[in-house]
């Protein structure tokens, strides 16, 4: 076991120890590869979460936006957390679950240095009151409404998201049910058996009315816009509007969104752009900013943002794990390619080094662990100076570069050694045979390693009782 750990931990630093790879099982290298993968995922997570407080603290524009909105004496926005949900109040008013601030459009006093703020604490499940455009369909909205169900499948109108909520009140649900009743009439042109059957199940179900209304609304969308919605397609919600309009729009940068269940931000720090998500589910209940003095109030809102961001650790780790599968596959490819190249070069160089592909595969694997460790340290440090996308992109080439350099050093030192060629397919004896002869008693005939065949060498060993 001692020798195993010696090989496992020190083979990167010693050619002699690394040469033992050919005598060991290949699973040792696969253990190193697995540890390397865990190291890469851990590095990405650590570079992300350890660098965030530093980046946040150096973003003057983002800090100015936050402090102006949540700690100023005038026009302050108050935030409160209740059971993992955020509520907001403006100018000392009541806490509400509503759209409180939107500096992108109307509340310009909350925009600072090119940074914008939106506080919308309406339910994260709230549906969007989207509009539909028929400009590209060649028909008007009234003509589309008059079409039978089957004919509507031939037209695909365009959905236009809004920042308004679709309220499923009794009046709107009655409108949806009127249309679904038409689709349930077997004598009508709008009849559809599938929707009719599912509509009947919903009406007869014992679920609470709110859930029943949601099901009726989804069925209505599938029946009225069959080319846009199906049984697997949910209705767009308000979060879709913000995602499409701002968060997934590369042209929009520098903002903070405060939603009912999470915060989403984008800021620049030392020339590096950073987007982040934070979740309210693990935040402590109570008002976020309670202090009267500016310094303490700023520390409280800072803690709120950092704590919310730390709440995304679980989902972020999972996402890094999933996305790092590509790194894992590329690491295997690097390992195979380097082993193949080394094997090919060793066939052309008649020196004391491994000759088989499997031997080179094992030897390359012996360098994986420390190559990954060095890569992890470098990438972690880089996380404080470059974007996380850059860190992610840096891992594979850096790992491959370190592996290549270490293999080159091993190959070069072996190739430059002043020893006779090692055993090859031509029957030339190995260096070990030469050393054996050199240690024999004085006057013993030496083997000419360049001219003597393997068979001749074996005969001489037999005569001396060595075989």
């Amino acid at each position: 076991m001692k020798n195993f750990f010696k090989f496992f931990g020190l083979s990167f630093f010693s050619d002699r120890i690394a040469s033992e790879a050919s005598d060991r099982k290949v699973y040792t290298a696969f253990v190193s590869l697995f540890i390397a993968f865990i190291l890469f995922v851990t590095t990405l997570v650590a570079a992300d979460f350890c660098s965030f407080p530093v980046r946040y603290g150096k973003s003057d524009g983002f800090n100015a936006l936050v402090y102006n909105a949540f700690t100023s004496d005038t026009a302050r926005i108050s935030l409160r957390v209740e059971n993992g949900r955020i509520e907001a109040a403006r100018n000392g008013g009541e806490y509400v679950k509503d759209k409180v601030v939107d500096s992108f459009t109307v509340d310009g006093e909350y925009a600072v240095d090119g940074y914008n703020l939106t506080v919308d604490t309406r339910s994260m499940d709230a549906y969007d009151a989207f509009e539909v455009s028929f400009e590209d369909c060649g028909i008007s909205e009234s003509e589309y409404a008059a079409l039978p169900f089957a004919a509507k499948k031939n037209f695909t109108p365009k959905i236009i998201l809004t920042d308004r909520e679709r309220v499923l009140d009794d009046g709107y649900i009655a409108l949806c049910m009127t249309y679904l009743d038409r689709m349930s009439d077997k004598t009508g042109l709008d009849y559809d058996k599938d929707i009719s059957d599912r509509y009947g199940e919903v009406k007869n179900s014992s679920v609470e009315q709110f859930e029943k209304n949601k099901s009726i609304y989804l069925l209505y969308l599938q029946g009225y816009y069959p080319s846009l919605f199906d049984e697997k397609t949910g209705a767009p919600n308000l979060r879709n509007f913000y995602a499409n309009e701002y968060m997934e729009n590369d042209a929009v940068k520098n903002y903070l969104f405060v939603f009912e269940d999470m915060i989403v931000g984008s800021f620049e720090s030392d020339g590096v752009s950073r987007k982040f998500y934070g979740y309210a589910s693990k935040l402590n209940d109570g008002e976020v900013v309670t202090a009267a003095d500016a310094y303490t109030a700023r520390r409280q809102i800072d803690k709120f943002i950092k704590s919310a961001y730390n709440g995304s650790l679980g989902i972020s780790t999972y996402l890094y794990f999933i996305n790092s599968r590509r790194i894992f596959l590329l690491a295997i490819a690097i390992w195979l390619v380097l082993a193949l190249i080394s094997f090919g070069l060793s066939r052309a160089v008649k020196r004391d080094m491994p000759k088989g592909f499997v031997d080179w595969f094992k030897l390359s694997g012996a360098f994986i662990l420390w190559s990954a460790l060095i890569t992890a340290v470098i990438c972690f440090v880089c996380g404080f100076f470059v974007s996380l996308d850059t860190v992610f992109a840096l891992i594979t080439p850096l790992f491959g570069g370190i592996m290549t350099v270490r293999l080159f050093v091993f190959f070069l030192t072996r190739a430059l050694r002043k020893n006779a060629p090692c055993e090859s397919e031509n029957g030339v004896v190995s260096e070990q045979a030469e050393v054996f002869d050199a240690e024999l008693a004085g006057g013993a005939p030496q083997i000419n390693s360049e001219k003597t065949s393997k068979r001749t060498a074996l005969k001489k060993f037999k005569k001396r009782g060595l075989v």
Side-chain angles (χ1 to χ4, degrees):
M1 185 61 68
K2 179 180 179 181
N3 289 334
F4 170 79
F5 285 109
K6 181 180 179 181
F7 171 79
F8 194 68
L10 300 178
S11 55
F12 185 87
F13 305 99
S14 171
D15 287 353
R16 180 181 60 80
I17 297 177
S19 298
E20 300 175 8
S22 58
D23 298 325
R24 295 185 175 276
K25 300 294 184 182
V26 74
Y27 74 80
T28 304
F30 281 105
V31 170
S32 297
L33 184 66
F34 175 76
I35 294 176
F37 176 68
I38 299 302
L39 274 172
F40 293 153
V41 175
T42 304
T43 298
L44 289 169
V45 174
D48 185 344
F49 284 82
C50 292
S51 67
F52 179 78
V54 178
R55 290 288 189 195
Y56 172 79
K58 291 183 177 181
S59 180
D60 295 335
F62 190 75
N63 291 157
L65 172 81
V66 172
Y67 299 153
N68 175 67
F70 302 109
T71 68
S72 64
D73 293 331
T74 60
R76 175 185 289 194
I77 301 170
S78 301
L79 300 178
R80 182 176 67 185
V81 180
E82 292 288 343
N83 299 319
R85 294 289 183 264
I86 300 173
E87 298 176 338
R90 183 169 176 173
N91 298 329
E94 295 183 0
Y95 283 98
V96 295
K97 287 185 173 294
D98 201 352
K99 185 175 182 179
V100 177
V101 170
D102 182 6
S103 71
F104 284 98
T105 56
V106 294
D107 299 307
E109 69 269 27
Y110 291 99
V112 179
D113 295 335
Y115 283 79
N116 283 288
L117 172 70
T118 296
V119 179
D120 189 341
T121 57
R122 287 176 287 185
S123 172
M124 64 181 187
D125 297 323
Y127 292 121
D128 187 271
F130 64 90
E131 299 174 356
V132 179
S133 172
F134 293 89
E135 290 184 3
D136 298 330
C137 294
I139 60 173
S140 65
E141 184 175 0
S142 59
E143 290 173 332
Y144 180 85
L147 292 174
F149 172 72
K152 287 180 178 178
K153 295 180 179 180
N154 299 323
F155 297 91
T156 305
K158 180 181 178 181
I159 292 179
I160 301 175
L161 298 175
T162 72
D163 60 351
R164 302 188 304 275
E165 181 181 357
R166 173 72 70 197
V167 180
L168 303 183
D169 54 18
D170 292 341
Y172 189 81
I173 293 301
L175 183 150
C176 295
M177 293 180 68
T178 299
Y179 187 78
L180 291 172
D181 287 335
R182 284 170 51 188
M183 296 193 69
S184 301
D185 182 2
K186 295 182 179 181
T187 63
L189 295 176
D190 291 315
Y191 175 72
D192 181 79
K193 184 178 186 307
D194 178 55
I195 290 181
S196 175
D197 292 344
R198 286 191 284 137
Y199 177 49
E201 293 176 0
V202 170
K203 288 196 299 183
N204 297 325
S205 66
S206 58
V207 298
E208 62 180 26
Q209 190 61 44
F210 178 72
E211 292 299 323
K212 185 178 292 189
N213 289 349
K214 288 172 61 177
S215 298
I216 290 173
Y217 174 58
L218 294 176
L219 279 173
Y220 166 75
L221 294 180
Q222 295 168 33
Y224 198 82
Y225 301 107
S227 61
L228 297 178
F229 301 94
D230 55 33
E231 190 173 354
K232 298 180 180 179
T233 305
N237 56 35
L238 283 172
R239 199 66 55 83
N240 294 127
F241 165 77
Y242 289 115
N244 294 339
E245 191 74 13
Y246 303 109
M247 293 180 287
E248 296 178 3
N249 187 345
D250 293 334
V252 180
K253 299 179 180 180
N254 302 335
Y255 53 74
L256 174 65
F257 287 93
V258 179
F259 297 120
E260 180 199 39
D261 61 320
M262 66 185 302
I263 62 174
V264 182
S266 172
F267 59 83
E268 292 185 4
S269 176
D270 291 336
V272 177
S273 181
R274 178 71 180 265
K275 289 185 178 181
F276 70 93
Y277 297 82
Y279 294 92
S281 57
K282 296 183 179 180
L283 295 177
N284 295 326
D285 288 352
E287 291 189 5
V288 173
V289 177
T290 58
D293 64 288
Y295 177 81
T296 305
R298 290 182 177 186
R299 299 293 76 80
Q300 288 177 335
I301 193 64
D302 289 343
K303 181 181 178 181
F304 167 77
I305 292 176
K306 293 174 184 178
S307 298
Y309 184 69
N310 290 336
S312 67
L313 177 61
I315 185 64
S316 294
T317 301
Y318 172 75
L319 292 175
Y320 278 127
F321 180 83
I322 296 299
N323 293 330
S324 295
R325 290 180 301 177
R326 184 181 65 180
I327 294 178
F328 182 69
L329 294 175
L330 288 175
I332 295 176
I334 290 171
W335 182 12
L336 287 170
V337 169
L338 290 178
L340 185 61
I341 293 174
S342 301
F343 168 67
L345 291 175
S346 68
R347 302 288 291 177
V349 179
K350 311 298 182 185
R351 310 306 290 178
D352 176 32
M353 58 183 65
K355 289 299 179 182
F357 172 76
V358 174
D359 293 331
W360 279 108
F361 186 71
K362 293 178 181 179
L363 180 64
S364 303
F367 301 146
I368 287 177
L369 179 61
W370 275 97
S371 296
L373 279 169
I374 296 172
T375 299
V377 171
I378 294 175
C379 288
F380 173 75
V381 174
C382 288
F384 290 85
F385 303 97
V386 299
S387 68
L388 294 174
D389 289 339
T390 302
V391 173
F392 188 89
L394 183 64
I395 287 179
T396 303
L398 185 58
F399 171 75
I402 295 172
M403 285 275 290
T404 301
V405 170
R406 184 61 186 90
L407 268 173
F408 175 76
V409 171
F410 179 90
F411 197 97
L412 187 63
T413 54
R414 284 305 184 95
L416 294 179
R417 285 179 59 177
K418 294 182 180 180
N419 62 283
C422 68
E423 183 177 322
S424 67
E425 293 179 349
N426 297 324
V428 181
V429 297
S430 66
E431 178 192 2
Q432 285 75 12
E434 259 193 285
V435 173
F436 241 147
D437 267 346
E439 294 177 349
L440 294 176
Q446 299 295 311
I447 298 175
N448 188 329
S449 60
E450 295 181 352
K451 298 180 180 179
T452 307
S453 67
K454 184 190 296 184
R455 184 176 300 173
T456 304
L458 290 174
K459 286 181 180 180
K460 291 189 177 185
F461 287 142
K462 288 180 180 179
K463 286 180 181 180
R464 294 165 188 161
L466 299 175
V467 179

